[in-house]
């Protein structure tokens, strides 16, 4: 069978402009080759910076923001599209090869109606008449399960939800009947319950239209549902390339094996969950403009244990953390810490009360002052809470660095000189420096690559064993909950849906929302998506 | 030396710059206290929800009127609060106390300032700015003619500079980081560093004195024909254009570049569309709002720029009238001119805001 | 950051500013004649004893230009430093305290900015007595409104960063947060802004002096020198253009440095953007 797309020995460079230094040339992709046949799907998987988007865009002979394709061939139906001139490549783009971006919200032009943008490429390339294009758009809106497909195209991008926009972008890519679509993390920006719908819609649509696809993602479980082949990338080079079955079930390389087996460390929950270091009772909270975010939330956390708060964006889980810290005083309800009611607002709390509750953020980048060294960052709580100075302080900072598995050589580094994982470790050390009894962790691993995240989780577990610190762990990732929690609170639209010991919350009988949430989390298993969809169809048939 | 408008700051951002309001509470709508107070609250809220565009525009109009009122208070009241006695100034240091007393009574300075303010404001609303201390003539009459002259000057400067600035800005974008762009960048950087009077005298030196192709001073009088007037204002207009052009061009370039680097222009490129189609269909509709904003802001600056240019060219406009009044401390004239200049400035800034709101598709097509 | 990464344009700017400052400091040593001495006929052409000729009263133009650098730079710099301190303190206070204080300061600032600076200055200077320190104060107060706006925006940008929140959660006071957390992260954009304000002050002072409301004669200052000699223009005497050119050159030099600082700031943010 002839190859639709054949990429040979691709090499891509970019120029970076580090401040105060002459520009530097960086190699983003080196020696990557793959083949894709008609109607097949190839998954490109890797961490951020692995070069996967850059490779995907090379199928359209496009270099984003200063990227230059400097070597190799990209053969589309046997023709090297890298050798085409601007007007030649324009007959390929939007006609033979289309692109679906990660953020459809930014990729749609705010000034035009969705329908006009969806059919634009088909019309401009003279592939169909306006009526035909409209018919096809309508058909695609139906296939993709968009609401009111007849009038959907009359709306403006800002008038529809993020999940719908992502499907509209898929319709826009499918409209001209292309031979190949490049999906660039199309579901990454979506909530997990929305992701499954969009994923199913994309899968259905490309099967229905026999379109080949390059599917780019960092989530191996997602790509396992949709692709025929998988290529694992790291630092712009191929790690492993094979069929989906082989890569998922019998990975050859260590790196792939680690990706597949990530987060399998499980911890049994504590048997006794009766005490309460932190007790949240009937808390209501909202913002000054009257918008209410939390409604009657109650939960508690025993000493030395971990409470995971799960929910999608907008569920109020981060707001709850702000309420606990006192940044957002609750309008009703009370929070008790170690048997004493905490003053509602930050200003009313004593330094000792503040010391006992510390926080770790999602983005370690913004959580640390870029103009302070590791020594200053970790040292400040020491001098602030305990009045430590000079050699004693340095000694303690070194101890803390040891505790987070980083040596004293990091003492005088700035955050910019650390990797993502190292930054998060320093943030943990800063929290530990205060000798807290409770650490609020706001998605501390979701911005990290899976292997690094695993290391952070293990560190947190070890520290809990050593210091008996309690965690409130805010996350949207059920796998993490399974791995580290003792008790779990599920939140949805500002309300507590379910709360209790992990074993109870994560086993049936479920309420509707928890059921949906749990079923939406992709599992590292081929055919999982079909299974979920089948159950759903059966359930809706049964009703 | 750009004067950015009073309302381009945080107030504007809640409607135009931020992400579109996606939540049901429509947070993009002014989070300001509503002007009608508590009782009208629900009505205003409902209005804001149903007609966000009209509500935003009404809000800007109200804000401008309020601002103008506050400015009038500041121009009148603020001066009262400052040290220095008008009567003494008026007569000179050597005046006898009796003479000072008389003059105070003459000018009405013996009455409480709140009463004088209300009188002044009441008159100003009707177009009566009182009598000049220096010439004893009606201020309004004097201003009437001169305001027309100033606007005549500013109008032609705008007529030339706006298309030129937008054109050059687009040219700079087209050749971004290449020679034409770099040349335009260096020249415009130099141009914003030149004081108006320096440009003015340079032009006079060469065009009027050495080559004799233009007239100086740029006097205009009633009996002049339209073409005579035009040739009289050629040099002042050229000066104003040079002053305002560089700013407008740089800001236009930045506004267009911002749009050209957006994700939806990349989408258009990946659809295989031609350059012209991308610019006309995808970039232009989104660039209109910021560019209009830039133009209105610069026109506001133009109104102020006439002050210096009029003095340089001895042109009988508002600016020269005001500067003369300031030197002899003729307060009614100073206050009247100050208020009128501020009113134009506020009005143009408001226009910039409203045009930007109107050009925003997110506000034009509410959910 | 090293010297070699500074572009040529910025070097030109730095050199120009350095020359002007040297003239200002060592004026009595450099200037061939006194600031106020009438040394020859009026409006003598350039050359001979008088390198740049003489002015409308027969004073040496070069000497006045050198002394003028002193006044112009001193007044503009003093006004900028003052306006910057004022604007920064108020804006950072507004950004850190938020709530009522922020509203009060910001609305008052909006009001001040609703009147064009030059018009505002004209109105105020019409009332106030003519003293150098009053001139500096008026320039500083009017200009601080712009510093306030920039400062508040920059501080708010940084103040919402999580490391500031972390400091707040630790229980740090406002002073620590302003000076240790926010200020070090805003230096680069603020330095550029300082340059911009300085350039504006030079132009603004010159404009006021040109209109007869700035530095009062017989003290030499560049804007005033243009005013003194403007009547010569009609006779083809370019004496007024010399101080005008000096103002323009200094302003261009400052802007060249600012331009470089701004580009440096934007590349610090990691934006590949439009450098």
């Amino acid at each position: 069978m002839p190859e639709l797309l054949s990429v040979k020995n691709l090499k891509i460079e970019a120029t970076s402009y580090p401040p105060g230094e002459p520009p530097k040339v960086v190699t983003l992709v080196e020696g990557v080759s793959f083949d894709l046949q008609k109607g097949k799907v190839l998954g490109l998987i890797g961490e951020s910076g692995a070069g996967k988007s850059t490779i995907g865009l090379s199928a359209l002979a496009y270099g984003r923001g200063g990227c230059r394709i400097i070597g190799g061939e990209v053969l589309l139906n046997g023709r090297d599209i890298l050798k085409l001139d601007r007007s030649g490549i324009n007959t390929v783009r939007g006609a033979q090869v289309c692109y679906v971006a990660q953020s459809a919200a930014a990729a749609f032009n705010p000034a035009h109606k969705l329908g006009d943008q969806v059919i634009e490429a088909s019309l401009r390339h003279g592939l169909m008449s306006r009526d035909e294009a409209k018919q096809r758009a309508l058909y695609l809106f139906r296939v993709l399960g968009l609401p009111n497909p007849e009038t959907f195209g009359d709306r403006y991008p800002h008038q529809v939800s993020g999940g719908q926009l992502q499907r509209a972008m898929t319709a826009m890519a499918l409209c001209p009947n292309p031979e190949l679509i490049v999906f660039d993390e199309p579901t990454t920006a979506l909530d997990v319950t929305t992701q499954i719908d969009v994923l199913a819609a994309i899968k259905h649509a490309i099967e229905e239209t026999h379109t080949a696809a390059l599917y780019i993602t960092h989530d191996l479980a997602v790509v396992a549902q949709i692709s025929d082949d998988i290529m694992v990338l790291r630092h712009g080079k191929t790690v492993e390339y094979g069929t989906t079955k082989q890569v998922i079930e019998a990975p050859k390389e260590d790196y792939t094996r680690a990706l597949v087996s990530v987060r399998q460390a499980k911890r049994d929950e504590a048997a006794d969950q009766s005490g309460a270091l932190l007790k949240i009772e009937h808390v209501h909270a909202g913002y000054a403009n009257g918008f209410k975010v939390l409604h009657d939330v109650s939960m508690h956390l025993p000493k030395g244990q971990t409470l995971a708060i799960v929910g999608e964006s907008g569920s109020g889980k981060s707001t709850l953390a702000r309420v606990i810290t006192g940044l957002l005083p609750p309008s009703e309800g009370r929070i008790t810490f170690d048997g004493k009611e905490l003053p509602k607002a930050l200003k009313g709390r004593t330094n000792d009360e503040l010391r006992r509750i510390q926080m770790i953020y999602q983005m370690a980048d913004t959580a640390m002052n870029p103009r302070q060294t590791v020594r200053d960052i970790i040292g400040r709580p020491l001098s602030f809470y305990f009045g430590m100075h000079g050699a004693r302080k340095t000694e303690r900072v070194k101890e803390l660095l040891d505790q987070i598995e980083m040596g004293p050589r990091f003492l005088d580094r700035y955050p910019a000189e650390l990797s993502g994982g190292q930054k998060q470790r320093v943030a943990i050390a800063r929290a530990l420096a205060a000798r807290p009894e409770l650490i609020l962790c706001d998605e501390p691993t979701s911005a990290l690559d899976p292997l690094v995240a695993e290391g952070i989780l293990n560190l947190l577990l070890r520290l809990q064993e050593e210091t008996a610190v309690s965690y409130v762990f805010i996350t949207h990732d059920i796998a993490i909950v399974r791995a580290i929690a003792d008790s779990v609170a599920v939140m949805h639209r500002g309300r507590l849906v379910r709360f209790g010991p992990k074993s109870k919350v994560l086993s049936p009988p479920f309420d509707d929302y928890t059921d949906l949430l749990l079923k939406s989390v992709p599992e590292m298993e081929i055919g999982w998506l079909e299974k979920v969809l089948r159950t759903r169809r059966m359930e809706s048939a049964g009703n | 030396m750009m004067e950015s408008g009073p309302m381009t700051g945080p107030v504007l951002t809640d409607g135009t710059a931020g992400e579109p309001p996606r939540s049901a509470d429509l947070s993009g709508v002014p989070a300001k206290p509503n002007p009608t107070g508590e009782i009208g609250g629900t009505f205003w809220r409902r209005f804001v929800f149903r007609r966000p565009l009209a509500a935003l525009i009404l809000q800007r109009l109200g804000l401008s009127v309020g601002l103008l009122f506050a400015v009038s208070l500041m121009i009148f009241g603020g001066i009262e609060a400052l040290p220095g006695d008008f009567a003494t100034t008026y007569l000179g240091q050597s005046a006898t106390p009796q003479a000072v007393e008389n003059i105070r009574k003459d000018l009405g300075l013996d009455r409480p300032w709140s009463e004088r303010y209300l009188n002044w404001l009441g008159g100003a609303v009707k177009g009566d700015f009182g009598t000049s201390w220096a010439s004893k003539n009606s201020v309004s009459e004097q201003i009437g003619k001169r305001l027309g002259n100033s606007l005549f000057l500013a109008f032609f400067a705008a007529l030339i500079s706006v298309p030129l600035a937008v054109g050059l800005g687009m040219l700079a974008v087209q050749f971004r980081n290449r020679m034409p762009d770099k040349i335009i960048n260096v020249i415009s950087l130099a141009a914003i560093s030149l004081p108006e009077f320096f440009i003015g005298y340079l032009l006079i030196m060469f065009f009027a004195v050495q080559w004799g192709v233009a007239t100086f001073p740029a006097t205009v009088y009633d009996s002049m024909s339209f073409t005579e007037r035009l040739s009289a204002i050629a040099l002042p207009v050229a000066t104003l254009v040079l002053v305002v052009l560089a700013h407008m061009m740089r800001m236009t370039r930045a506004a267009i570049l911002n749009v050209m680097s957006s994700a939806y222009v990349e989408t258009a490129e990946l659809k295989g569309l031609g350059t012209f189609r991308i610019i006309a269909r995808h970039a232009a509709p989104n660039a209109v709002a910021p560019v209009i904003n830039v133009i209105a802001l610069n026109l506001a600056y133009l109104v102020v720029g006439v002050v210096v240019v009029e003095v340089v060219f001895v042109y009988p406009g508002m600016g020269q009238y005001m500067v003369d009044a300031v030197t002899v401390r003729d307060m009614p004239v100073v206050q009247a001119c100050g208020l009128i200049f501020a009113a134009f400035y506020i009005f143009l800034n408001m226009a910039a805001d409203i045009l930007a709101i109107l050009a925003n598709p997110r506000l034009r097509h509410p959910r | 950051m090293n010297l070699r990464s500074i572009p040529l344009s910025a070097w030109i700017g730095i050199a120009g500013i350095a020359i002007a400052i040297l003239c200002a400091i060592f004026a009595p040593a450099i200037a061939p004649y006194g600031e106020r001495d009438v040394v020859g006929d009026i409006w003598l052409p350039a050359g001979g004893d008088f390198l740049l000729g003489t002015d409308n009263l027969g004073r040496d133009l070069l000497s006045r230009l050198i002394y003028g650098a002193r006044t112009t730079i001193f007044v503009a710099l003093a006004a900028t430093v003052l306006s910057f301190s004022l604007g920064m303190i108020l804006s950072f206070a507004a950004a850190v305290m938020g709530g009522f204080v922020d509203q009060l300061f910001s609305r008052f600032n909006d009001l001040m900015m609703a009147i064009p600076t030059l018009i505002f200055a004209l109105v105020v200077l019409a009332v106030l007595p003519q003293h150098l320190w009053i001139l500096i104060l008026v320039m500083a107060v009017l200009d601080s409104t712009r510093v306030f706006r920039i400062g508040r925006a920059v501080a708010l940008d940084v103040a919402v960063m999580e490391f500031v929140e972390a400091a707040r959660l630790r229980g740090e006071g406002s002073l620590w947060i302003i000076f240790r957390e926010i200020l070090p992260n805003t230096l680069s954009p603020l330095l550029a802004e300082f340059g911009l304000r300085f350039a504006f002050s030079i132009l603004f002072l010159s404009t006021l002096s040109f209109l007869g409301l700035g530095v009062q004669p017989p003290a030499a200052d560049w804007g005033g020198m243009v005013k003194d000699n403007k009547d010569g223009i009609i006779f083809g005497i370019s004496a007024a253009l010399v101080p005008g050119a000096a103002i323009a050159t200094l302003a261009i030099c400052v802007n060249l440095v600012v331009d470089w600082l701004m580009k440096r700031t934007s590349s610090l943010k990691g934006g590949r953007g439009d450098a």
Side-chain angles (χ1 to χ4, degrees):
Chain A
M1 198 169 172
E3 311 292 351
L4 170 67
L5 178 73
S6 186
V7 170
K8 294 197 169 100
N9 214 1
L10 195 64
K11 186 170 183 188
I12 301 177
E13 274 183 3
T15 314
S16 76
Y17 299 88
E21 281 170 47
K24 241 192 294 195
V25 174
V26 198
T27 304
L28 294 178
V29 174
E30 197 165 9
V32 169
S33 308
F34 58 83
D35 296 312
L36 184 62
Q37 291 173 345
K38 266 192 184 347
K40 296 282 184 190
V41 179
L42 169 66
L44 295 178
I45 180 150
E47 301 165 354
S48 53
K52 49 193 195 301
S53 291
T54 316
I55 296 171
L57 283 169
S58 72
L60 294 110
Y62 185 81
R64 180 182 277 161
C67 294
R68 291 177 309 274
I69 304 173
I70 55 158
E73 294 179 325
V74 177
L75 304 174
L76 187 73
N77 290 320
R79 184 170 63 144
D80 189 353
I81 58 169
L82 298 181
K83 297 213 168 73
L84 296 176
D85 61 359
R86 174 78 202 238
S87 65
I89 193 63
N90 275 352
T91 62
V92 172
R93 291 178 186 166
Q96 287 173 279
V97 187
C98 292
Y99 178 73
V100 176
Q102 174 173 354
S103 168
F108 272 110
N109 193 326
H112 300 298
K113 290 179 183 169
L114 286 169
D116 293 339
Q117 300 191 52
V118 166
I119 62 173
E120 183 181 21
S122 311
L123 297 185
R124 300 309 298 180
H125 291 293
L127 300 170
M128 41 189 100
S129 72
R130 177 168 282 272
D131 279 343
E132 284 166 355
K134 276 188 171 167
Q135 282 305 315
R136 178 154 173 87
L138 182 59
Y139 159 76
L140 290 168
F141 289 159
R142 283 214 181 93
V143 170
L144 287 158
L146 284 163
N148 305 322
E150 289 80 11
T151 55
F152 185 80
D154 294 334
R155 306 172 82 180
Y156 284 87
H158 66 278
Q159 295 173 320
V160 306
S161 74
Q164 290 169 5
L165 268 185
Q166 210 67 50
R167 276 180 272 179
M169 182 115 204
T170 307
M172 182 156 89
L174 281 166
C175 190
N177 253 322
E179 293 171 273
L180 173 68
I181 297 185
V182 178
F183 289 96
D184 194 353
E185 306 239 18
T187 63
T188 304
L190 303 176
D191 272 326
V192 63
T193 51
T194 319
Q195 161 170 299
I196 187 169
D197 290 333
V198 175
L199 199 59
I202 291 177
K203 189 175 165 79
H204 179 54
I206 53 183
E207 276 169 4
E208 188 81 15
T209 54
H210 309 289
T211 313
L214 277 180
Y215 197 100
I216 297 161
T217 176
H218 67 278
D219 192 337
L220 196 51
V222 164
V223 86
Q225 309 311 319
I226 207 160
S227 64
D228 300 292
D229 294 329
I230 289 180
M231 172 178 271
V232 182
L233 293 157
R234 197 182 195 194
H235 306 316
K237 290 185 181 136
T238 311
V239 175
E240 186 162 356
Y241 178 34
T243 64
T244 301
K245 195 172 162 57
Q246 179 253 307
V247 171
I248 299 287
E249 289 173 3
K252 284 185 210 139
E253 299 294 320
D254 287 348
Y255 180 69
T256 320
R257 253 197 294 280
L259 282 183
V260 172
S261 65
V262 146
R263 284 182 223 138
Q264 303 213 325
K266 284 198 185 168
R267 205 188 78 160
D268 295 329
E269 67 187 51
D272 179 21
Q273 302 197 0
S274 52
L277 175 72
L278 176 76
K279 204 165 170 185
I280 299 165
E281 291 167 289
H282 305 292
V283 160
H284 294 250
Y287 290 101
N289 60 10
F291 186 65
K292 220 172 154 188
V293 192
L294 290 179
H295 306 265
D296 195 19
V297 174
S298 302
M299 56 185 78
H300 63 88
L301 166 65
K303 201 168 171 54
Q305 298 189 11
T306 302
L307 163 65
I309 303 179
V310 205
E312 300 175 81
S313 58
S315 64
K317 56 187 195 306
S318 292
T319 309
L320 187 58
R322 291 174 66 81
V323 170
I324 297 172
T325 56
L327 283 169
L328 180 70
S331 53
E332 279 173 59
R334 52 188 226 148
I335 297 168
T336 325
F337 187 76
D338 204 11
K340 244 180 75 192
E341 184 174 345
L342 275 179
K344 284 191 167 71
L346 187 62
K347 274 187 191 157
R349 300 190 183 175
T350 64
N351 278 353
D352 198 53
E353 279 168 332
L354 294 173
R355 177 190 67 76
R356 295 167 76 181
I357 303 179
Q358 291 293 311
M359 180 133 182
I360 303 172
Y361 294 87
Q362 176 176 0
M363 309 297 288
D365 282 313
T366 54
M368 280 183 284
N369 194 331
R371 306 278 160 153
Q372 292 175 359
T373 60
V374 168
R375 181 202 297 269
D376 297 332
I377 291 169
I378 303 180
R380 180 60 189 169
L382 295 175
S383 43
F384 185 77
Y385 293 125
F386 307 113
M388 285 191 195
H389 292 292
R392 228 176 107 229
K393 185 163 117 180
T394 310
E395 255 338 282
R396 180 74 186 120
V397 173
K398 281 185 187 161
E399 271 175 47
L400 285 162
L401 278 174
D402 273 346
Q403 251 184 314
I404 56 164
E405 296 150 20
M406 285 166 72
R409 68 201 164 92
F410 289 99
L411 266 180
D412 293 304
R413 300 254 184 111
Y414 284 93
E417 298 165 316
L418 303 176
S419 72
Q422 287 168 341
K423 275 181 227 169
Q424 199 57 284
R425 280 168 194 265
V426 171
I428 293 172
R430 176 174 66 181
L432 280 182
R435 295 190 182 279
E437 283 148 69
L438 173 66
I439 300 183
L440 300 173
C441 311
D442 190 356
E443 307 237 15
T445 58
S446 61
L448 301 173
D449 295 320
L451 290 181
V452 181
E454 187 77 5
I456 297 286
L457 288 181
N458 287 334
L459 173 67
L460 287 173
L461 287 177
R462 209 196 74 219
L463 291 172
Q464 190 167 45
E465 275 165 28
E466 287 171 12
T467 62
V469 66
S470 309
Y471 295 128
V472 168
F473 202 101
I474 293 163
T475 182
H476 66 273
D477 189 337
I478 303 286
I480 293 182
V481 176
R482 289 214 169 90
I484 66 162
D486 295 293
S487 51
V488 179
V490 181
M491 295 195 60
H492 182 50
R493 296 197 180 151
R495 290 174 202 278
L496 184 67
V497 177
R498 205 171 162 90
F499 170 67
K502 172 169 69 177
S503 55
K504 272 211 179 118
V505 169
L506 298 184
S507 30
F510 292 120
D511 56 284
D512 289 352
Y513 178 71
T514 310
D515 191 38
L516 176 67
L517 186 67
L518 290 179
K519 280 190 183 153
S520 303
V521 180
E523 281 172 32
M524 200 79 73
E525 179 191 322
I526 299 167
W528 165 82
L529 184 63
E530 280 84 0
K531 211 165 68 190
V532 176
L533 295 176
R534 217 176 307 127
T535 348
R536 269 199 195 175
R537 270 197 295 277
M538 272 156 58
E539 274 167 10
S540 59
N543 286 342
Chain B
M1 43 188 296
M2 192 53 229
E3 314 244 358
S4 39
M7 280 153 299
T8 48
V11 193
L12 185 76
T13 37
D14 57 19
T16 49
E19 270 298 289
R22 289 203 177 276
S23 54
D25 68 327
L26 207 78
S27 51
V29 177
K32 317 208 100 239
N34 63 69
T36 42
E38 278 302 310
I39 309 147
T42 47
F43 170 74
W44 176 251
R45 238 168 227 228
R46 221 179 304 140
F47 183 64
V48 162
F49 191 81
R50 261 196 255 132
R51 311 288 303 274
L53 192 61
L56 271 176
I57 291 175
L58 270 181
Q59 196 203 21
R60 291 296 185 277
L61 281 169
L63 209 64
S64 302
V65 171
L67 211 51
L68 194 56
F69 178 73
V71 164
S72 77
L73 200 65
M74 206 136 117
I75 287 182
F76 196 93
I79 286 171
E80 295 288 327
L82 292 174
D85 186 77
F86 296 134
T88 325
T89 324
Y90 187 68
L91 289 174
Q93 295 294 335
S94 55
T96 61
Q98 184 55 43
V100 169
E101 198 49 45
N102 284 341
I103 207 84
R104 283 180 67 86
K105 215 169 251 168
D106 239 25
L107 300 175
L109 291 175
D110 52 339
R111 289 178 296 149
W113 83 266
S114 55
E115 188 188 325
R116 281 183 289 127
Y117 171 68
L118 288 178
N119 259 339
W120 177 72
L121 190 68
V125 170
K126 282 180 261 164
D128 174 19
F129 287 100
T131 322
S132 157
W133 290 353
S135 68
K136 307 288 179 205
N137 286 333
S138 156
V139 176
S140 310
E141 232 169 73
Q142 289 287 317
I143 283 181
K145 239 188 294 163
R146 288 161 175 272
L147 183 61
N149 285 345
S150 286
L151 288 178
F152 187 68
L153 191 63
F155 173 77
F156 280 99
L159 202 66
I160 296 171
S161 60
V162 170
L164 207 57
V166 174
L168 281 175
M170 281 158 76
L171 197 73
V173 171
Q174 185 66 39
F175 294 96
R176 175 154 55 121
N177 288 342
R178 279 183 278 162
M179 242 335 149
D181 182 30
K182 283 182 177 163
I183 292 172
I184 290 177
N185 183 44
V186 168
I187 292 180
S188 65
L189 192 73
I192 56 175
S193 311
L194 299 184
E196 290 99 332
F197 52 81
F198 183 57
I199 299 178
Y201 285 127
L202 267 185
L203 292 181
I204 294 171
M205 190 71 180
F206 288 105
F207 288 93
V209 179
Q210 303 227 327
W211 302 330
V213 289
T215 53
F216 175 82
T219 332
V220 287
Y221 33 86
D222 290 342
S223 58
M224 268 174 129
S225 75
F226 184 68
T227 39
E228 279 173 327
R229 271 169 194 266
L230 276 191
S231 88
I233 64 162
L235 282 187
V237 165
T239 310
L240 274 176
V241 167
L242 286 174
V243 167
V244 85
L245 184 67
H247 263 297
M248 219 190 295
M249 190 235 93
R250 280 170 86 95
M251 287 163 78
T252 306
R253 175 181 180 274
I256 297 177
L257 265 187
N258 193 22
V259 172
M260 289 304 284
S261 60
S262 66
Y264 50 81
V265 168
E266 183 185 277
T267 304
E269 233 174 297
L270 290 176
K271 275 181 181 175
L273 304 180
T275 310
F276 179 75
R277 169 112 186 148
I278 292 176
I279 291 175
R281 172 91 181 154
H282 289 279
N286 294 291
V288 164
V291 170
I292 287 180
N293 205 350
V294 166
I295 291 172
L297 287 176
N298 281 283
L299 291 187
Y301 178 67
L302 199 60
V303 171
V304 182
V306 297
V307 174
V308 177
V309 171
E310 283 175 6
V311 172
V312 169
F313 288 93
V314 204
Y315 180 83
M318 283 272 292
Q320 208 198 20
Y321 190 42
M322 183 172 185
V323 172
D324 287 347
V326 169
T327 2
V328 300
R329 312 209 157 193
D330 186 350
M331 288 323 288
V333 178
V334 173
Q335 285 169 335
C337 291
L339 191 66
I340 290 172
F341 273 118
F344 268 98
Y345 193 69
I346 291 173
F347 170 76
L348 280 165
N349 275 302
M350 180 190 74
D353 263 13
I354 290 181
L355 286 171
I357 291 170
L358 281 176
N360 185 339
R362 294 193 175 115
L363 294 168
R364 241 182 315 134
H365 312 284
R367 287 158 76 84
Chain C
M1 150 97 213
N2 54 32
L3 290 182
R4 224 183 282 167
S5 71
I6 301 176
L8 177 68
S9 60
W11 276 121
I12 296 174
I14 291 170
I17 296 170
I19 293 173
I21 289 178
L22 284 179
C23 284
I25 295 173
F26 301 108
I30 303 172
Y33 301 94
E35 181 186 6
R36 296 164 195 194
D37 302 343
V38 176
V39 290
D41 250 351
I42 62 167
W43 284 329
L44 285 175
D49 282 349
F50 312 108
L51 267 181
L52 294 175
T54 57
D55 74 353
N56 62 324
L57 297 177
R59 297 169 294 193
D60 178 45
L61 210 53
L62 177 66
S63 304
R64 277 185 75 74
L65 201 63
I66 292 170
Y67 278 102
R70 206 170 220 201
T71 326
T72 303
I73 290 178
F74 167 71
V75 175
L77 199 62
T80 313
V81 169
L82 209 59
S83 94
F84 219 72
S85 320
L86 195 66
M88 277 300 132
I89 291 170
L90 293 180
S91 67
F92 276 39
V96 172
M97 289 191 227
F100 178 72
V101 177
D102 186 20
Q103 280 296 318
L104 186 76
F105 286 7
S106 299
R107 292 295 82 78
F108 186 71
N109 197 58
D110 283 352
L111 176 59
M112 295 276 287
M113 290 181 79
I115 308 174
T117 312
L118 181 63
I119 302 297
F120 209 145
L122 287 180
V123 171
V124 174
L125 289 174
V127 189
L128 290 172
Q130 283 173 337
H131 284 299
L132 201 58
W133 64 269
I134 285 181
L135 177 68
I136 293 175
L137 208 64
V138 168
M139 284 174 61
V141 169
L142 291 180
D143 204 37
S144 68
T145 57
R146 271 135 246 272
V147 180
F148 177 88
R149 167 176 283 192
I150 301 278
R152 184 172 170 279
V154 171
L156 276 184
D157 263 3
V158 178
V160 297
M161 302 276 267
E162 276 158 351
F163 64 82
V164 177
E165 190 182 295
R168 244 184 253 261
L169 286 180
R170 203 184 305 138
E172 304 279 9
S174 291
L175 284 182
W176 172 280
I177 291 179
I178 290 179
F179 285 103
R180 303 303 290 270
E181 306 284 349
I182 296 182
L183 206 57
N185 286 290
T186 51
L187 277 182
S188 212
L190 291 186
L191 199 62
E193 183 61 20
F194 183 86
L196 215 57
R197 291 341 300 168
F198 182 52
F200 179 82
S201 274
I202 295 168
L203 293 176
F204 191 51
L205 171 70
S206 307
T207 301
L208 285 178
S209 294
F210 170 73
L211 294 177
L213 300 162
V215 178
Q216 295 303 315
D221 117 277
W222 292 348
M225 288 169 68
V226 176
K227 179 187 165 69
D228 293 343
N229 295 297
K230 67 178 179 183
D231 294 335
I233 292 279
I234 321 177
F235 311 112
I237 293 158
S238 57
L241 294 180
V242 176
I247 298 165
T249 312
L250 184 56
I252 289 175
C253 287
V254 175
N255 270 325
L256 283 174
V257 177
V258 169
D259 203 46
W260 163 64
L261 281 175
M262 280 186 170
K263 275 185 184 155
R264 206 171 147 259
T265 311
S266 65
S267 68
L268 273 180
K269 280 183 193 155
R272 214 178 276 148
D274 167 47

